[in-house]
Amino acid sequence: MPEASSVLADLVRDEGRRVLATLIRTTGSMTVAEDAVQEAAISALEHWPRDGVPDNPRAWLTTVARRKAVDAIRREAARGDKEVRAMDLTNDPGDVPDSVVRDDELRLVFTCCHPALSLANQTTLSLTTLCGLSVADTARLMLTTEGAMARRLTRAKHKIAVAGIPYRIPPDAELPERLAAVATTVYLLFTAGVAGGDEPVRPQLCDEAIRLGRLLVELLPDESSLQGLLALMLLNDARRETRTNSAGELVLLADQDRSQWDATRIAEGAALVDGALRRSRHRAGRFELEAAIAACHATARTYDETDWTDIIALYDALLRLTPTAVVRLNRAVAVGERDGAAAGLDELDQLSGLERFHLWHACRAELLARLGRIEQAAAAYESALACTPPAADRRHIERRMAASR
């Protein structure tokens, strides 16, 4: 049955990601671990439909993957028996507590975010290796081509192998220099869950990012940027159930039913924002500011009551820290809401570097439509579609384009 096969494939993929983190620690080799987990996943897809899904799928995959890895290591004459002996197959991976597995995953994030790699390579490696995102998804998040992303990933893995970068959480003294990349990776994973794929929302990615965010806060409870990161994700995730309608189509923020937002997550997120801003002592970083913006949206009783002036001021502060085109795009949208479509369109038209970003074209189209410039709006919608957006975004753009005519 195709549906059952799809569910099984999702289970193998999700559990395999966690097994990979453990196996990389065990083998000390990303290549060996990836190959072994892939072989174990193939075995699962062959055996589980016939024999049934085991009670502990992760333990099953871990055992098979470890055996595949040992076989691979034994076949490599250049490698001695030391690595093979290090792989203890007598332990039942099902007995390993969840905290150890989580530490393995966090260890791999910190490994991928080694300062010997560029920031772009750090996040690319983490998103594709640990988080299980496709090269296409990662390229979309990083606003680049799939080919360029594949080359970046290859270079990053090669550098880790050549430099002998260890697969471990670094000493406390080395944590600060990696935090920015680690936090960015976790947030990009969350972003992929809400806006980075063909499905309107991918809950498993959102949940994984929030889980990693909580682990980071536990690891460094006094770090305001991590509190801001967790707050940002919680506040945005509070709207999860209202991001799509009953047909599974995207619903814009202005049209969402706020009574269905998760009040518990909003309360937790807002408290984290307050704590992060106090802790940062008027030197708030990127995630604290973005979380404060999210709090403005989440705590407004209606869309019309949104304090766009505060939001624009927060974007101005954010631009001083991270003057990126995407931040400018979001600020321009806020200007359009506060000062009118013409003002917002003027802001958007001053931006550069977003020609391949479908949301820039879509935002221009929306403002042009509000101004009654229907033909120009249609052209902007066509440009957005030409950027090959994810399927959910494509359907939404097509609906908006049809409604504007």
Side-chain angles (χ1 to χ4, degrees), residues 51-292:
D51 303 332
V53 177
D55 293 337
N56 191 331
R58 188 188 307 172
W60 191 100
L61 284 169
T62 301
T63 298
V64 173
R66 283 181 173 179
R67 289 171 181 163
K68 300 288 186 183
V70 169
D71 290 342
I73 291 172
R74 283 175 174 156
R75 288 195 297 267
E76 296 180 19
R79 299 183 66 165
D81 292 335
K82 183 177 180 180
E83 288 101 329
V84 177
R85 288 196 302 270
M87 299 196 51
D88 183 5
L89 295 179
T90 62
N91 291 329
D92 178 5
D95 294 335
V96 179
D98 284 345
S99 60
V100 174
V101 176
R102 289 200 298 269
D103 285 346
D104 280 340
E105 292 181 89
L106 193 59
R107 178 181 292 108
L108 186 52
V109 175
F110 275 100
T111 297
C112 292
C113 293
H114 195 281
L117 303 173
S118 69
L119 179 59
N121 283 349
Q122 291 172 32
T123 52
T124 296
L125 192 63
S126 296
L127 289 169
T128 54
T129 301
L130 171 66
C131 303
L133 294 190
S134 68
V135 174
D137 276 347
T138 307
R140 190 178 297 118
L141 288 169
M142 305 289 280
L143 300 183
T144 188
T145 66
E146 189 170 343
M149 187 57 58
R151 291 190 294 273
R152 184 183 295 173
L153 179 62
T154 299
R155 289 195 300 270
K157 289 183 177 180
H158 178 72
K159 186 159 188 176
I160 279 188
V162 170
I165 296 173
Y167 294 94
R168 61 172 174 77
I169 294 179
D172 290 349
E174 296 179 19
L175 290 178
E177 64 183 340
R178 304 194 190 194
L179 275 186
V182 170
T184 298
T185 295
V186 172
Y187 187 57
L188 284 173
L189 175 63
F190 179 81
T191 301
V194 296
D198 288 341
E199 302 170 55
V201 179
R202 289 186 281 183
Q204 70 276 15
L205 296 184
C206 297
D207 291 340
E208 177 69 2
I210 291 172
R211 188 183 67 80
L212 290 172
R214 291 192 187 282
L215 281 176
L216 287 170
V217 170
E218 290 174 13
L219 181 66
L220 295 167
D222 295 326
E223 179 57 53
S224 64
S225 66
L226 299 180
Q227 288 187 326
L229 168 66
L230 180 56
L232 175 59
M233 293 189 293
L234 289 171
L235 290 165
N236 283 327
D237 195 59
R239 299 191 282 114
R240 180 190 297 187
E241 299 302 321
T242 64
R243 289 181 182 275
T244 59
N245 59 22
S246 58
E249 302 295 349
L250 288 174
V251 178
L252 296 180
L253 176 62
D255 301 322
Q256 292 175 11
D257 181 358
R258 297 183 177 223
S259 68
Q260 298 301 309
W261 287 0
D262 189 328
T264 301
R265 292 216 151 176
I266 291 174
E268 182 184 2
L272 283 166
V273 170
D274 289 342
L277 292 175
R278 285 197 305 270
R279 186 167 277 113
S280 63
R281 300 178 186 275
H282 307 293
R283 293 190 296 273
R286 168 197 171 186
F287 289 114
E288 296 97 306
L289 291 171
E290 290 193 32

Side-chain angles (χ1 to χ4, degrees), residues 2-16 41 45 48:
E3 183 179 352
S5 298
S6 176
V7 171
L8 187 60
D10 288 344
L11 176 62
V12 170
R13 182 195 63 222
D14 293 341
E15 295 294 349
L45 293 174
W48 292 0

Side-chain angles (χ1 to χ4, degrees), residues 271-314:
L272 283 166
V273 170
D274 289 342
L277 292 175
R278 285 197 305 270
R279 186 167 277 113
S280 63
R281 300 178 186 275
H282 307 293
R283 293 190 296 273
R286 168 197 171 186
F287 289 114
E288 296 97 306
L289 291 171
E290 290 193 32
I293 293 169
C296 287
H297 289 297
T299 57
R301 290 182 301 176
T302 67
Y303 188 78
D304 290 338
E305 293 181 44
T306 304
D307 192 333
W308 295 107
T309 296
D310 273 2
I311 288 174
I312 291 170
L314 288 165

